[in-house]
Amino acid sequence: GAVVSQHPSWVICKSGTSVKIECRSLDFQATTMFWYRQFPKQSLMLMATSNEGSKATYEQGVEKDKFLINHASLTLSTLTVTSAHPEDSSFYICSASQHEAFFGQGTRLTVV
Amino acid sequence: DAKTTQPPSMDCAEGRAANLPCNHSTISGNEYVYWYRQIHSQGPQYIIHGLKNNETNEMASLIITEDRKSSTLILPHATLRDTAVYYCIVRVGGSNQGGKLIFGQGTELSVKP
């Protein structure tokens, strides 16, 4: 199946700093990618839809100024968590699809 | 997208078939049934999907009832590595919005030796 790669797999940052997470589709072009967040013992929650060449679409309750999404090419979307706080600590997962969705391996963010 | 209902947890003996049910009574005619699984601390993995016919691939079989209001994912010979949370998701298929999935709570399958 298609491969979606995320980087980094895990990151620890200090409160107030920003963290960028990359999501790449390795063997297909993706005009649309999706970002999810998952807290411990909970299901995945869709955060936003990343659109190549245009603005991202955010789900209700997700702060667009805090979670900056850039989709500059057909194979790369980035999520930047700005001014991170401990409550932003979570597992962030991206996906891209051809006919079915393929997911990255996830990024574990810990804000200290 | 239609809502799905799954049991929160199930156990299965290693080597036996694991049958995971899913109810989707409000499914529309153009909505597919997708199954994904998530092994702890990894991204979800696609398993199988179907519209109305039963489907089989190297991982699993998908049985969809004639009225399409429920389905069953079958892992024919479960192994310890199949321990994961299994998500049944209903959505319109065949578009680049395919990654926009609304996840329910899923079924936590524990395969025991």
Side-chain angles (χ1 to χ4, degrees):
Chain A
V3 178
V4 174
S5 177
Q6 262 182 263
H7 178 81
S9 297
W10 59 271
V11 58
I12 302 172
C13 73
K14 292 185 177 180
S15 275
T17 62
S18 295
V19 173
K20 181 186 285 189
I21 302 169
E22 293 185 348
C23 179
R24 294 181 186 274
S25 57
L26 297 185
D27 52 2
F28 66 100
Q29 294 182 331
T31 57
T32 308
M33 291 186 178
F34 301 86
W35 288 96
Y36 295 80
R37 180 169 54 179
Q38 186 176 33
F39 292 108
K41 301 289 187 184
Q42 295 186 22
S43 189
L44 285 80
M45 261 185 34
L46 179 66
M47 298 175 67
T49 301
S50 172
N51 304 299
E52 189 266 337
S54 66
K55 290 184 180 179
T57 307
Y58 291 82
E59 296 299 305
Q60 193 173 5
V62 177
E63 299 175 58
K64 62 179 182 182
D65 294 329
K66 180 165 187 61
F67 299 99
L68 300 179
I69 292 172
N70 184 272
H71 194 151
S73 79
L74 288 171
T75 59
L76 173 64
S77 174
T78 61
L79 169 69
T80 301
V81 183
T82 62
S83 187
H85 291 286
E87 57 265 32
D88 298 322
S89 298
S90 190
F91 192 52
Y92 291 87
I93 308 167
C94 70
S95 77
S97 68
Q98 292 182 300
H99 299 289
E100 60 271 1
F102 296 97
F103 289 81
Q105 69 269 41
T107 297
R108 174 79 56 196
L109 170 63
T110 303
V111 185
V112 298
Chain B
D1 291 335
K3 180 179 167 59
T4 62
T5 305
Q6 299 177 252
S9 63
M10 290 182 65
D11 289 343
C12 178
E14 189 179 18
R16 303 296 293 269
N19 298 284
L20 292 93
C22 179
N23 285 323
H24 31 79
S25 58
T26 61
I27 192 169
S28 300
N30 62 346
E31 288 182 313
Y32 288 70
V33 180
Y34 282 77
W35 282 83
Y36 287 82
R37 72 179 182 184
Q38 185 179 27
I39 295 169
H40 183 61
S41 294
Q42 297 182 25
Q45 176 189 22
Y46 166 80
I47 301 174
I48 199 167
H49 74 281
L51 183 62
K52 48 185 173 182
N53 296 323
N54 297 338
E55 302 288 344
T56 295
N57 63 21
E58 64 277 5
M59 288 183 69
S61 294
L62 174 60
I63 308 298
I64 303 174
T65 58
E66 194 168 339
D67 63 6
R68 303 211 320 125
K69 292 186 177 182
S70 66
S71 60
T72 301
L73 178 75
I74 301 172
L75 308 179
H77 305 288
T79 70
L80 299 179
R81 288 179 295 179
D82 292 321
T83 292
V85 179
Y86 287 76
Y87 296 99
C88 167
I89 300 170
V90 171
R91 68 160 185 88
V92 176
S95 74
N96 68 352
Q97 295 290 312
K100 185 175 184 178
L101 301 173
I102 307 302
F103 285 81
Q105 295 306 305
T107 295
E108 187 167 8
L109 176 68
S110 297
V111 181
K112 299 183 183 299

